[in-house]
Amino acid sequence: MREDALVHAATGVHLVHGSNTNWVILTDGDAVTLIDCGYPGDRRQVLESLADLGHAPDAVEAVLITHAHNDHIGSAEYLSRTFDAPVFLHEAEVPHARREFLHQVSIGQVLMNGWRPGVLPWAVHALRSGGTADSRITRPQKFPVAGALDLPGRPVPVHTPGHTAGHCSYHLPDKGILISGDALVSGHPTSRVRGPQLLPTMFDANREHAVASLDVIEQLAADIMLPGHGPIHRGSVHEAARRARELTS
């Protein structure tokens, strides 16, 4: 994969830039935790990113999902079926992953916002990458314990709803890292803003809850943010959340 796609954040922590979405690889020796996995069309890049770090896909002990949008779960079912990797999410996101319902921006909403810079090119890319494909996960599981998970990286799920009802960020307290998914990003093809921000309103299931989740993020001790979209952000996550809130007012 391209040289700038794999970003070293800390020992055993890498952010990977897919076609339009990021995922995170946590490693501990020969074992891997994969957090999110891009669009269905990003599968080759997912496998290449693992290989570039010296891991085969069967090294993935679990796939953790921030939320069940197609641009974040594209290879989850493949890894589950092919390599028996369990897929864990917040319990409120489990039925979403099964596609008992779908909280995702609609084609109608995209067309209504088509006049905005970047929206139509983003939509074309999303369609070509499997954004409307059936990517349901057949065996999603809620987190087995509260607090740190017994997986490489020892990630701590943090419920940050709003983008979806069960959206979860993941905190690595020992490393001062927050994996923020789409609760707080640092850029997006449909946004002219650079730096910490919420996604455009059309992407959130509940904007009020998304803004409220910034209060949760503000309390986390972290000075590196690995977002679902945009580059790595180095600096106080407290300040990043505050800046995003200011942009919404």
Side-chain angles (χ1 to χ4, degrees):
M1 62 192 312
R2 69 181 193 273
E3 189 174 334
D4 62 346
L6 190 64
V7 180
H8 178 268
T11 302
V13 184
H14 289 81
L15 177 71
V16 186
H17 296 297
S19 59
N20 257 354
T21 307
N22 303 330
W23 53 91
V24 175
I25 299 173
L26 307 179
T27 58
D28 184 359
D30 294 331
V32 171
T33 301
L34 179 64
I35 301 180
D36 287 346
C37 45
Y39 282 101
D42 289 339
R43 181 172 303 165
R44 177 181 59 81
Q45 291 172 272
V46 171
L47 298 178
E48 284 181 355
S49 65
L50 290 169
D52 284 352
L53 292 173
H55 298 285
D58 60 4
V60 176
E61 291 199 356
V63 180
L64 303 183
I65 301 297
T66 59
H67 64 290
H69 283 165
N70 273 15
D71 61 330
H72 292 258
I73 65 169
S75 291
E77 179 67 7
Y78 165 76
L79 292 167
S80 175
R81 283 183 175 272
T82 308
F83 302 102
D84 204 31
V87 181
F88 294 115
L89 315 86
H90 187 274
E91 61 182 340
E93 201 71 3
V94 167
H96 190 199
R98 291 196 192 107
R99 290 299 183 256
E100 295 174 18
F101 57 84
L102 180 61
H103 285 166
Q104 189 161 287
V105 64
S106 68
I107 292 175
Q109 287 173 301
V110 172
L111 293 175
M112 286 176 60
N113 285 273
W115 60 273
R116 297 179 182 276
V119 169
L120 292 182
W122 165 82
V124 170
H125 174 272
L127 288 170
R128 289 177 174 172
S129 300
T132 59
D134 184 353
S135 297
R136 76 185 65 199
I137 302 169
T138 56
R139 296 181 295 166
Q141 302 177 50
K142 67 179 182 179
F143 300 124
V145 296
L149 302 175
D150 188 18
L151 293 169
R154 300 282 295 171
V156 180
V158 180
H159 189 207
T160 47
H163 186 61
T164 65
H167 186 288
C168 254
S169 303
Y170 295 92
H171 189 207
L172 309 180
D174 292 345
K175 297 184 181 296
I177 292 176
L178 175 67
I179 300 159
S180 58
D182 285 5
L184 181 61
V185 301
S186 61
H188 192 267
T190 64
S191 172
R192 288 180 169 178
V193 177
R194 294 294 174 264
Q197 61 190 283
L198 293 179
L199 285 172
T201 303
M202 69 174 177
F203 292 112
D204 287 336
N206 188 312
R207 187 64 163 193
E208 183 179 350
H209 290 173
V211 173
S213 284
L214 294 175
D215 294 339
V216 176
I217 291 172
E218 240 182 333
Q219 303 306 311
L220 299 174
D223 53 15
I224 296 175
M225 183 180 80
L226 308 182
H229 302 276
I232 185 172
H233 176 76
R234 299 183 187 274
S236 166
V237 169
H238 175 91
E239 293 300 323
R242 190 167 72 173
R243 177 181 187 271
R245 186 184 295 102
E246 289 172 353
L247 289 171
T248 66
S249 58

PDB file of all heavy atoms in Angstrom, residues 144-157:
ATOM      1  N   PRO A 144     -17.667  -8.363  25.904  1.00  0.00           N
ATOM      2  CA  PRO A 144     -17.828  -9.421  26.909  1.00  0.00           C
ATOM      3  C   PRO A 144     -17.685  -8.941  28.347  1.00  0.00           C
ATOM      4  O   PRO A 144     -18.168  -9.606  29.268  1.00  0.00           O
ATOM      5  CB  PRO A 144     -16.717 -10.418  26.545  1.00  0.00           C
ATOM      6  CG  PRO A 144     -15.686  -9.595  25.838  1.00  0.00           C
ATOM      7  CD  PRO A 144     -16.443  -8.539  25.105  1.00  0.00           C
ATOM      8  N   VAL A 145     -17.004  -7.824  28.550  1.00  0.00           N
ATOM      9  CA  VAL A 145     -16.786  -7.298  29.905  1.00  0.00           C
ATOM     10  C   VAL A 145     -16.881  -5.776  29.863  1.00  0.00           C
ATOM     11  O   VAL A 145     -16.785  -5.160  28.804  1.00  0.00           O
ATOM     12  CB  VAL A 145     -15.402  -7.711  30.467  1.00  0.00           C
ATOM     13  CG1 VAL A 145     -15.299  -9.211  30.632  1.00  0.00           C
ATOM     14  CG2 VAL A 145     -14.280  -7.184  29.572  1.00  0.00           C
ATOM     15  N   ALA A 146     -17.065  -5.183  31.013  1.00  0.00           N
ATOM     16  CA  ALA A 146     -16.960  -3.730  31.122  1.00  0.00           C
ATOM     17  C   ALA A 146     -15.493  -3.362  31.310  1.00  0.00           C
ATOM     18  O   ALA A 146     -14.706  -4.134  31.857  1.00  0.00           O
ATOM     19  CB  ALA A 146     -17.790  -3.235  32.303  1.00  0.00           C
ATOM     20  N   GLY A 147     -15.104  -2.192  30.844  1.00  0.00           N
ATOM     21  CA  GLY A 147     -13.727  -1.758  31.005  1.00  0.00           C
ATOM     22  C   GLY A 147     -12.812  -2.302  29.931  1.00  0.00           C
ATOM     23  O   GLY A 147     -13.255  -2.658  28.833  1.00  0.00           O
ATOM     24  N   ALA A 148     -11.520  -2.396  30.254  1.00  0.00           N
ATOM     25  CA  ALA A 148     -10.517  -2.813  29.279  1.00  0.00           C
ATOM     26  C   ALA A 148     -10.793  -4.221  28.775  1.00  0.00           C
ATOM     27  O   ALA A 148     -11.113  -5.125  29.557  1.00  0.00           O
ATOM     28  CB  ALA A 148      -9.125  -2.733  29.889  1.00  0.00           C
ATOM     29  N   LEU A 149     -10.671  -4.396  27.481  1.00  0.00           N
ATOM     30  CA  LEU A 149     -10.879  -5.711  26.872  1.00  0.00           C
ATOM     31  C   LEU A 149      -9.572  -6.491  26.884  1.00  0.00           C
ATOM     32  O   LEU A 149      -8.493  -5.927  26.677  1.00  0.00           O
ATOM     33  CB  LEU A 149     -11.380  -5.545  25.433  1.00  0.00           C
ATOM     34  CG  LEU A 149     -12.684  -4.755  25.272  1.00  0.00           C
ATOM     35  CD1 LEU A 149     -13.008  -4.547  23.796  1.00  0.00           C
ATOM     36  CD2 LEU A 149     -13.840  -5.472  25.971  1.00  0.00           C
ATOM     37  N   ASP A 150      -9.676  -7.789  27.100  1.00  0.00           N
ATOM     38  CA  ASP A 150      -8.499  -8.656  27.154  1.00  0.00           C
ATOM     39  C   ASP A 150      -8.075  -9.007  25.732  1.00  0.00           C
ATOM     40  O   ASP A 150      -8.217 -10.140  25.264  1.00  0.00           O
ATOM     41  CB  ASP A 150      -8.817  -9.915  27.964  1.00  0.00           C
ATOM     42  CG  ASP A 150      -7.577 -10.767  28.208  1.00  0.00           C
ATOM     43  OD1 ASP A 150      -6.450 -10.238  28.060  1.00  0.00           O
ATOM     44  OD2 ASP A 150      -7.729 -11.972  28.529  1.00  0.00           O
ATOM     45  N   LEU A 151      -7.578  -7.998  25.040  1.00  0.00           N
ATOM     46  CA  LEU A 151      -7.165  -8.113  23.648  1.00  0.00           C
ATOM     47  C   LEU A 151      -5.883  -7.312  23.463  1.00  0.00           C
ATOM     48  O   LEU A 151      -5.553  -6.459  24.296  1.00  0.00           O
ATOM     49  CB  LEU A 151      -8.250  -7.550  22.718  1.00  0.00           C
ATOM     50  CG  LEU A 151      -9.574  -8.303  22.637  1.00  0.00           C
ATOM     51  CD1 LEU A 151     -10.614  -7.467  21.901  1.00  0.00           C
ATOM     52  CD2 LEU A 151      -9.384  -9.655  21.942  1.00  0.00           C
ATOM     53  N   PRO A 152      -5.147  -7.550  22.395  1.00  0.00           N
ATOM     54  CA  PRO A 152      -3.969  -6.720  22.144  1.00  0.00           C
ATOM     55  C   PRO A 152      -4.300  -5.232  22.189  1.00  0.00           C
ATOM     56  O   PRO A 152      -5.275  -4.770  21.591  1.00  0.00           O
ATOM     57  CB  PRO A 152      -3.550  -7.151  20.730  1.00  0.00           C
ATOM     58  CG  PRO A 152      -4.014  -8.581  20.641  1.00  0.00           C
ATOM     59  CD  PRO A 152      -5.305  -8.629  21.395  1.00  0.00           C
ATOM     60  N   GLY A 153      -3.508  -4.479  22.939  1.00  0.00           N
ATOM     61  CA  GLY A 153      -3.734  -3.053  23.111  1.00  0.00           C
ATOM     62  C   GLY A 153      -4.567  -2.696  24.319  1.00  0.00           C
ATOM     63  O   GLY A 153      -4.614  -1.536  24.723  1.00  0.00           O
ATOM     64  N   ARG A 154      -5.270  -3.669  24.895  1.00  0.00           N
ATOM     65  CA  ARG A 154      -6.140  -3.435  26.056  1.00  0.00           C
ATOM     66  C   ARG A 154      -7.070  -2.234  25.853  1.00  0.00           C
ATOM     67  O   ARG A 154      -7.173  -1.341  26.701  1.00  0.00           O
ATOM     68  CB  ARG A 154      -5.297  -3.230  27.314  1.00  0.00           C
ATOM     69  CG  ARG A 154      -4.407  -4.403  27.678  1.00  0.00           C
ATOM     70  CD  ARG A 154      -5.183  -5.509  28.328  1.00  0.00           C
ATOM     71  NE  ARG A 154      -5.722  -5.097  29.621  1.00  0.00           N
ATOM     72  CZ  ARG A 154      -6.590  -5.817  30.332  1.00  0.00           C
ATOM     73  NH1 ARG A 154      -7.038  -6.966  29.846  1.00  0.00           N
ATOM     74  NH2 ARG A 154      -7.027  -5.384  31.500  1.00  0.00           N
ATOM     75  N   PRO A 155      -7.787  -2.161  24.717  1.00  0.00           N
ATOM     76  CA  PRO A 155      -8.653  -0.997  24.474  1.00  0.00           C
ATOM     77  C   PRO A 155      -9.841  -0.959  25.430  1.00  0.00           C
ATOM     78  O   PRO A 155     -10.400  -1.993  25.795  1.00  0.00           O
ATOM     79  CB  PRO A 155      -9.119  -1.216  23.026  1.00  0.00           C
ATOM     80  CG  PRO A 155      -9.032  -2.702  22.823  1.00  0.00           C
ATOM     81  CD  PRO A 155      -7.848  -3.151  23.631  1.00  0.00           C
ATOM     82  N   VAL A 156     -10.216   0.262  25.801  1.00  0.00           N
ATOM     83  CA  VAL A 156     -11.361   0.477  26.686  1.00  0.00           C
ATOM     84  C   VAL A 156     -12.488   1.104  25.865  1.00  0.00           C
ATOM     85  O   VAL A 156     -12.356   2.247  25.403  1.00  0.00           O
ATOM     86  CB  VAL A 156     -10.999   1.407  27.855  1.00  0.00           C
ATOM     87  CG1 VAL A 156     -12.219   1.620  28.760  1.00  0.00           C
ATOM     88  CG2 VAL A 156      -9.824   0.846  28.647  1.00  0.00           C
ATOM     89  N   PRO A 157     -13.604   0.401  25.650  1.00  0.00           N
ATOM     90  CA  PRO A 157     -14.720   1.000  24.914  1.00  0.00           C
ATOM     91  C   PRO A 157     -15.324   2.171  25.681  1.00  0.00           C
ATOM     92  O   PRO A 157     -15.493   2.115  26.904  1.00  0.00           O
ATOM     93  CB  PRO A 157     -15.727  -0.151  24.783  1.00  0.00           C
ATOM     94  CG  PRO A 157     -14.934  -1.400  25.006  1.00  0.00           C
ATOM     95  CD  PRO A 157     -13.871  -1.024  25.982  1.00  0.00           C
TER      96      PRO A 157
END
